[in-house]
Every structure is written in structure tokens, then in C-alpha cells.
Amino acid sequence: MGLLAKAFFDRDPAVVARELLGATLVRQWRERRLRGRIVETEAYYGTDDPASRAFSGKVTALNAAMWEAPGTIMVYMVHANWLFNIVTQPRGVSSAVLIRAVEPLDNFDLLLTERRKRNPAVAARRDLCNGPGKFTQAFAIGRELNLQSLSKSTGIWVERGSAPQDVTESHRVGVTRDLRRKLRYYVSGNSFVSKPATVTPKGFA
DNA sequence: GTTCCGATTTTCT
DNA sequence: GAAAATCGGAACA
């Protein structure tokens, strides 16, 4: 119920990123159903966005998903971490939304177990999914989901949730060259966000 | 083959 | 806060 359909993602990535806040990400995995409230996202455009994997305009095995149909999953590795993105806009247009953090809603024991495979020191609930790589660890998301689409059959999808009271915009985190426009969105005051403070970019395009 | 890099995480001071 | 650790893919030779 309340499953976000293809049409939801067939829009500008900034709009999708903003409206994804408060939605519930659901992962069906080994007889368990993991849920997280999306609290932090970033929008990425295509060839005109220097922070985008599609910036070169060249299609490679790594970025091909970005031109796929809206609702397609794009997973790729940065600094030894898998990052989870949802493709936006029509097929043929490259853009996507990165899920940067979710607030765990249940199955905390399982999320903790998955996180501890990489970092045995993790203990606090707020450290389970407060970063794009931490979230994929906890939710057992890997490359096998790349080029799949959001749906119950692939074991990962998004359901409508409760819209946040207030949203903060900031520059995207960690990118070498950002756009002037602020394309990171997070739920104001939420303690499961990766970096509550405003982050200044290394450089502008 | 080798080198270099990054939309990060972790650990150390 | 700063620095090290991490690894798959691209680019070069």
C-alpha cells in the first residue's frame, strides 16, 4: 500500500529527492522485512553536473543505469562502499537521487549484525544508517541490485510516508566540484542524518 | 599489466 | 579535525 510508482520518479531529481524525505524504504531480505524512514537525499543531474557519474556523457558499465527508466536502481562503489541511487526522469535522460541516510524503524538487531560485519565497534542505533555507505551495509544492499528496478519482486521498494515538518537544503557532501545550487535535502533536526551541520563544498563548478 | 581515483568510513590525536 | 583504510572500475601503457 502506498507504493511509490514509476511516475513518482519520472520527474526532476531535485523534486524527487525533496519529496522522498519521510517516505519509507522497505527491504525484503531473508524472510525479514527491514524498514527505514528516508531522512537525507541528494539529487544528481547528468552531463551538465560535474559531480555526476554521467558528467562525461560516456556510457560505461558503471553509470549505464543512470540513463535507464525512472525507478531503476543504480548501485556503484565509492571508496569501498556501495551507494544506493534511484534513477529519475525518462529513459534516455541521466539523473538520479542518492539515498544518504534513513532512520531505522525495525529489525535493529539485524541491521546491527550487518553493520558489524564491517565495523564490529558499532553500537548506537543512530550509527546504523547515518551515511550512504552505512545504510547500504545495514540493509545488505550490493551490486546485485544495480539495474534492477524498485518493486516487491526485487526485494526493495519505497512506500509513501509522512511528510517531514521542515526540510533543510545544503550543498552536496563530499563532491569534488559542486553546482551552485543546493541539491542535498534532509529532515531538519533529525538525529539520523549523516552530518546535521551545513557542509561547504570543496569547490564550485 | 599498472596506476589513479572517488557521491566514504573509521580511527587516531 | 586530520589521516588512514578501503576496492572496483577506468585510463593508460
Side-chain angles (χ1 to χ4, degrees):
Chain A
M1 43 206 310
L3 204 119
L4 295 185
K6 195 170 175 178
F8 178 89
F9 300 101
D10 195 0
R11 296 181 293 164
D12 184 284
V15 174
V16 175
R18 170 72 177 70
E19 291 191 17
L20 230 27
L21 294 179
T24 308
L25 189 137
V26 188
R27 171 90 164 121
Q28 181 68 42
W29 190 71
R30 293 187 188 173
E31 314 302 318
R32 304 278 286 270
R33 188 165 288 196
L34 322 178
R35 289 199 213 93
R37 180 171 183 249
I38 299 173
V39 296
E40 180 181 352
T41 58
E42 281 178 357
Y44 286 86
Y45 289 91
T47 51
D48 296 329
D49 183 351
S52 172
R53 293 273 118 165
F55 184 46
S56 66
K58 185 179 179 183
V59 182
T60 67
L62 181 129
N63 68 11
M66 224 168 153
W67 281 268
E68 280 301 322
T72 300
I73 294 163
M74 171 162 141
V75 176
Y76 73 94
M77 177 161 283
V78 175
H79 288 104
N81 288 284
W82 296 114
L83 302 203
F84 177 82
N85 302 259
I86 303 172
V87 174
T88 54
Q89 295 186 298
R91 186 190 299 271
V93 180
S94 55
S95 65
V97 171
L98 168 70
I99 306 300
R100 283 194 57 89
V102 309
E103 176 177 342
L105 297 176
D106 51 31
N107 286 293
F108 309 111
D109 60 322
L110 185 51
L111 299 178
L112 190 62
T113 300
E114 290 304 309
R115 282 278 284 129
R116 283 184 168 162
K117 288 180 181 176
R118 285 276 296 274
N119 180 5
V122 175
R125 189 172 291 184
R126 68 152 46 91
D127 291 328
L128 291 175
C129 303
N130 62 338
K134 297 176 185 176
F135 153 66
T136 56
Q137 284 174 39
F139 275 68
I141 290 169
R143 65 185 340 166
E144 67 280 359
L145 288 174
N146 190 48
L147 287 169
Q148 307 268 1
S149 52
L150 291 177
S151 81
K152 297 207 170 178
S153 59
T154 53
I156 191 161
W157 65 92
V158 182
E159 293 177 5
R160 212 168 292 281
S162 56
Q165 289 254 315
D166 190 47
V167 172
T168 304
E169 301 181 4
S170 85
H171 285 288
R172 292 176 293 188
V173 177
V175 299
T176 308
R177 298 174 74 206
D178 204 355
L179 292 169
R180 290 279 170 192
R181 203 174 148 199
K182 293 180 175 175
L183 291 172
R184 173 187 180 225
Y185 306 88
Y186 60 91
V187 176
S188 307
N190 186 283
S191 58
F192 295 87
V193 165
S194 66
K195 298 177 183 182
T198 300
V199 177
T200 47
K202 296 174 185 170
F204 283 116

